[in-house]
Amino acid sequence: MEIIETHAHLDDPQYAEDLDAVVLRAKQAGVEKILLASVTMHDIGKLKALEKQFPDYVYAMIGVHPQEVKAASYKEELDAFDREIEKDNYIAVGEIGMDLYWDKTTKAEQEIVFRHQVAAAIDKNLPIAIHARDAFQPTVDILKEFDKTKLRGVLHCFSGAPENAQTMMSLGDFYFGIGGVSTFKNAKFTERLAEIPLERIVLETDCPYLAPTPHRGERNEPSFLPFIAGKLAAIYGKTIEEIGKITTNNAERLFF
Ligand code: NI
């Protein structure tokens, strides 16, 4: 079994006590690499420290999450983002995007912050990891402003229709991150997921959130990825090993 975890938050305080054990279990489950999504520039130092702690295994992204965008502080966040991205190497810019589920009042600021970070990713020739919650169209509208031959990345925590995937693929070289939600009994989007080519799918947990069945409700971790691969195996009519291999190749193509 080979797997690449494309979206984890191992800097979360929930791992403070037992991170070594979490990483060991990931390795035992076949996870070959773990990508850490960045949420705020306050924590970017923690992500870089984890990269040093687990060399050639953990890779840090850089990005300001839309939920962290506040009218009073977003300019400072962007200044810090600009400084950090010059200072160090990162595997991708993320997670960035639009979130109108939690807060619609910051829509204008979210657009500014998203646009700025997409431009920076293109400038550095990096892929982007997109968070879009209740905000697919506003996200698409920003991406349309950019040269589609230079845009590449992943729409993280994908649970949309194949038509949404088509739209994304018309805007650039985009992949779709499938996580624990795909294993939930009430997940509707999985009924048509197979219409999206498997060559466009990557695996993710978004841990510590959204643990897959049968761990739903527990703290999530990368070693749970085989449960998601198992669900995809059933959907695509492949073995779990084939799902691991194909999604690993996809992640390698996009990020490495
Ligand atoms: Ni995330």
Side-chain angles (χ1 to χ4, degrees), residues 154-172:
V154 56
L155 184 54
H156 130 78
C157 203
F158 183 74
S159 63
E163 290 76 15
N164 291 356
Q166 278 300 339
T167 300
M168 289 299 294
M169 288 188 279
S170 74
L171 296 170

Side-chain angles (χ1 to χ4, degrees), residues 2-8 10 23 26-27 30-36 54-59 91 203-204 222 225 248 251-253 255-256:
E2 48 180 322
I3 308 177
I4 292 181
E5 157 75 285
T6 63
H7 194 114
L10 295 185
V23 169
K27 288 179 175 172
V31 178
E32 294 179 338
K33 290 170 181 164
I34 297 177
L35 275 59
L36 301 182
F54 304 103
D56 298 323
Y57 191 70
V58 160
Y59 300 84
I91 196 82
L203 298 180
E204 64 169 56
L225 282 165
T248 292
E252 288 281 354
R253 207 159 54 236
F255 292 109
F256 293 93

Side-chain angles (χ1 to χ4, degrees), residues 7 9 95 156 206:
H7 194 114
H9 298 277
E95 56 184 296
H156 130 78
D206 202 16

